[in-house]
Amino acid sequence: MTNDEIFSKVQAIIVDQTGEDAEKVTMTTNIKEDLDADSLDIFEVINEIEDEFDIKIETEEGIDTVSDLVGFVEKQLKKAK
């Protein structure tokens, strides 16, 4: 799965969970600050991403931007191979 494919799925999940426009969710978007996501929003996003990619995200620490999240998913998928 390419970085762009991961981003598209992550973006769709974030848009679905936060109700934000897709244009506002870019690789540089800070999930908490730019989208005003609270801990419940982030929890729901993480759960959806875990289900979508069949991975486990133990902690959201170090995941601030969409890019951080996409990179984390990409690493987890490579480990799973």
Side-chain angles (χ1 to χ4, degrees):
M1 184 172 278
T2 67
N3 194 285
D4 287 341
E5 291 170 326
I6 295 169
F7 169 70
S8 291
K9 288 185 178 198
V10 168
Q11 181 189 44
I13 290 167
I14 293 171
V15 166
D16 186 50
Q17 292 298 324
T18 64
E20 290 291 346
D21 293 331
E23 299 83 43
K24 194 171 178 183
V25 181
T26 66
M27 288 292 273
T28 59
T29 301
N30 184 299
I31 300 164
K32 292 176 190 164
E33 293 173 11
D34 298 335
L35 303 179
D36 292 324
D38 61 21
S39 56
L40 180 59
D41 293 328
I42 293 168
F43 177 78
E44 290 173 346
V45 165
I46 297 228
N47 276 347
E48 287 290 318
I49 288 171
E50 287 177 334
D51 290 346
E52 176 69 34
F53 295 101
D54 195 28
I55 61 171
K56 191 76 182 135
I57 302 173
E58 297 295 335
T59 179
E60 60 197 55
E61 198 167 310
I63 298 176
D64 296 316
T65 65
V66 173
S67 178
D68 294 338
L69 195 49
V70 169
F72 182 85
V73 169
E74 194 171 27
K75 282 182 197 162
Q76 294 303 308
L77 292 176
K78 284 181 182 174
K79 277 187 201 176
K81 284 186 179 179

